[in-house]
């Protein structure tokens, strides 16, 4: 394959996409371990996407580093040796695994078209495993062992995001966490308009704000001294076109010296509406567990059952491990899901 060494390449690495100024820079990134076999590159002057391991110069560096080239043993080796496809304007090369065989499918790269392969096939709200030996973990931690091995090129449904992990579901319904750099979201292979439209699905934390945060350390029953119970009140602002749900908030309280006293997570049920804002509160129905939820969702419930009003209070009450008053608190969103609409996905739905 003839390659211009000083032309710009487009690189897709997990959920990130950037340009690289020439093959020499690509080789440097590969030598330093910043590019892996499963990352994807687009040669200059083409609309063709290839794995890093498809480029001979980079494959040799991977081999020197002890890399396997990034393909499973049961992948068709004929495809591996013939995977340098002609550059066809407006065409996208996608690997689909069928019966353990990798099939290269040349598909139109159409700006706003969501489905990449047939009815119910690949969509911009799905992602594909790019790492050999990857899979789903039970918790979003790098040290966690795999609970669901997933083959390279397998398709996953996006469920939510937490830090550097996506919560995902396999086609047979198993769920778990996968590192964001072990997958390539399909929307990353679309046009600039497509990437802008679907970015909130994969990076919802970029589009939600925590505002008007305030808290009060609650007194005991006699009102004599403060307890370890704190009521947090804050508002979410959703700056995307997608409803947000499955929120997990982390509250960290600190003393006057800035030392952390305790950190607690708060699960928030309900919806943060698109391009809108909502406060949080707690619903305490007798004989049921208290439920922290968005006021937006509570109002919808209240319209159907007005008696719920007497069980609703603003804010979220949490118990924290502290023996003295705190003077500062940090509030941040640690987990979140943007709900795809019908255009974004035929598989992942609000329910």
């Amino acid at each position: 394959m003839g390659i211009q060494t000083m032309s710009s390449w487009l690189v897709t690495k997990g959920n990130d996409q950037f340009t690289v100024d020439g093959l020499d820079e690509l080789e440097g990134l590969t030598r330093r371990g910043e590019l892996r076999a499963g990352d994807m590159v687009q040669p200059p002057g083409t609309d063709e996407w290839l794995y890093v391991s498809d480029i001979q110069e980079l494959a040799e560096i991977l081999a020197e580093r002890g890399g396997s080239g990034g393909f499973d043993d049961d992948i068709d080796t004929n495809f591996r040796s013939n995977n340098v496809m002609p550059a066809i304007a407006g065409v996208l090369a996608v690997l689909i695994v069928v019966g353990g065989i990798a099939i290269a499918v040349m598909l139109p790269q159409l700006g706003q078209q969501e489905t990449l392969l047939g009815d119910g096939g690949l969509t911009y709200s799905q992602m594909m495993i790019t790492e050999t030996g990857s899979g789903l973990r039970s918790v979003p931690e790098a040290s966690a062992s795999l609970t669901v091995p997933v083959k390279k090129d397998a398709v996953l449904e996006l469920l939510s995001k937490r830090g550097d992990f996506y919560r995902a579901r396999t086609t047979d319904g198993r769920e778990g966490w996968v590192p964001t750099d072990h997958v390539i979201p399909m929307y990353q292979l679309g046009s600039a308009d497509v990437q802008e439209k679907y970015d909130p699905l994969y990076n919802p934390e970029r589009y939600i704000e925590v505002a008007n945060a305030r808290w009060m350390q609650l007194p005991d029953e006699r009102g004599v001294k403060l307890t370890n119970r704190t009521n947090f009140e804050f508002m979410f602002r959703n700056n995307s076109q997608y409803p947000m749900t499955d929120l997990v908030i982390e509250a960290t309280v600190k003393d006057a010296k800035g030392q952390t006293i305790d950190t607690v997570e708060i699960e928030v049920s309900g919806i943060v509406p698109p391009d809108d804002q909502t406060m949080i509160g707690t619903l305490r129905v007798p004989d049921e567990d208290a439920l922290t939820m968005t006021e937006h969702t509570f109002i919808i419930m209240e319209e159907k059952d007005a008696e719920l009003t007497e069980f609703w209070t603003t804010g979220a009450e949490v118990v924290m491990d502290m023996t003295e008053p705190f003077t500062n608190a940090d509030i941040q969103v640690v987990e979140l899901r943007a709900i795809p609409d019908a255009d974004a996905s035929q598989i992942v739905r609000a329910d």
Side-chain angles (χ1 to χ4, degrees):
M1 180 178 182
I3 294 174
Q4 295 178 319
T5 58
M6 289 306 295
S7 298
S8 293
W9 293 64
L10 189 60
V11 179
T12 295
K13 180 180 174 63
N15 200 42
D16 297 322
Q17 194 170 87
F18 55 92
T19 57
V20 170
D21 203 14
L23 180 60
D24 289 344
E25 188 175 344
L26 275 177
E27 292 177 347
L29 291 172
T30 307
R31 286 193 181 93
R32 294 193 296 272
E34 297 178 35
L35 284 184
R36 299 182 299 189
D39 296 328
M40 301 190 80
V41 295
Q42 186 180 88
T46 77
D47 291 312
E48 178 185 1
W49 286 98
L50 301 170
Y51 285 116
V52 166
S53 57
D54 291 338
I55 308 301
Q56 181 178 351
E57 293 86 345
L58 305 183
E60 291 174 355
I61 296 173
L62 290 170
E64 292 172 1
R65 290 176 50 84
S68 63
F71 286 89
D72 293 329
D73 293 337
D74 58 355
I75 297 296
D76 187 353
T77 55
N78 289 327
F79 172 80
R80 202 183 316 179
S81 61
N82 295 290
N83 55 12
V84 181
M85 305 172 186
I88 302 176
V91 171
L92 170 66
V94 177
L95 290 176
I96 310 298
V97 174
V98 180
I101 303 299
I103 302 173
V105 183
M106 304 302 289
L107 301 165
Q109 188 176 18
L110 302 176
Q112 293 296 338
Q113 178 174 315
E114 283 76 28
T115 300
L116 293 181
L117 185 64
D119 294 336
L122 292 175
T123 70
Y124 285 131
S125 64
Q126 291 180 310
M127 49 195 176
M128 190 166 63
I129 289 283
T130 60
E131 293 292 315
T132 300
S134 184
L136 303 182
R137 296 161 167 79
S138 59
V139 293
E141 297 176 3
S143 59
S145 59
L146 296 181
T147 55
V148 182
V150 181
K151 290 186 177 181
K152 185 173 179 292
D153 302 322
V155 176
L156 298 174
E157 299 175 31
L158 172 66
L159 297 179
S160 64
K161 185 182 182 186
R162 184 183 179 106
D164 295 328
F165 286 82
Y166 290 126
R167 186 163 61 90
R169 181 189 298 128
T170 63
T171 54
D172 60 2
R174 293 176 292 175
E175 297 183 8
W177 296 90
V178 62
T180 56
D181 60 358
H182 282 202
V183 298
I184 178 171
M186 288 294 100
Y187 88 110
Q188 284 283 24
L189 305 184
S191 66
D193 289 343
V194 166
Q195 293 184 37
E196 180 179 1
K197 178 179 179 181
Y198 296 117
D199 186 68
L201 297 180
Y202 289 88
N203 299 290
E205 75 284 359
R206 298 177 182 174
Y207 300 87
I208 197 157
E209 302 173 21
V210 180
N212 296 336
R214 55 185 181 270
W215 52 88
M216 181 176 66
Q217 197 168 349
L218 301 177
D220 59 19
E221 294 180 355
R222 297 181 298 168
V224 175
K225 65 177 184 177
L226 296 177
T227 68
N228 62 350
R229 295 181 297 116
T230 299
N231 189 65
F232 288 94
E233 295 185 21
F234 44 82
M235 179 173 62
F236 295 115
R237 171 67 193 179
N238 182 357
N239 298 309
S240 80
Q241 72 271 33
Y242 301 102
M244 300 281 189
T245 190
D246 294 350
L247 290 95
V248 179
I249 309 303
E250 184 180 78
T252 300
V253 296
K254 301 178 180 180
D255 60 21
K257 297 181 180 179
Q259 299 296 316
T260 297
I261 298 175
D262 193 20
T263 298
V264 65
E265 290 190 354
I266 306 170
E267 295 184 1
V268 181
S269 300
I271 299 294
V272 182
D275 293 316
D276 204 349
Q277 60 193 27
T278 181
M279 297 292 289
I280 69 162
T282 303
L283 184 62
R284 293 184 176 86
V285 177
D287 300 324
E288 295 184 14
D289 293 335
L291 184 64
T292 300
M293 62 193 310
T294 65
E295 189 174 32
H296 169 81
T297 296
F298 171 72
I299 291 174
I300 295 175
M301 296 172 60
E302 185 186 29
E303 290 175 350
K304 299 178 181 180
D305 185 357
E307 293 183 0
L308 291 177
T309 303
E310 61 180 296
F311 306 121
W312 174 259
T313 57
T314 59
E317 184 180 315
V318 297
V319 176
M320 308 195 75
D321 184 15
M322 54 190 178
T323 58
E324 59 187 60
F326 64 89
T327 60
N328 188 31
D330 293 333
I331 308 293
Q332 62 177 335
V333 176
V334 295
E335 187 176 332
L336 187 61
R337 178 190 178 205
I339 303 175
D341 55 20
D343 289 338
S345 174
Q346 299 177 14
I347 299 176
V348 180
R349 304 197 186 282
D351 56 0

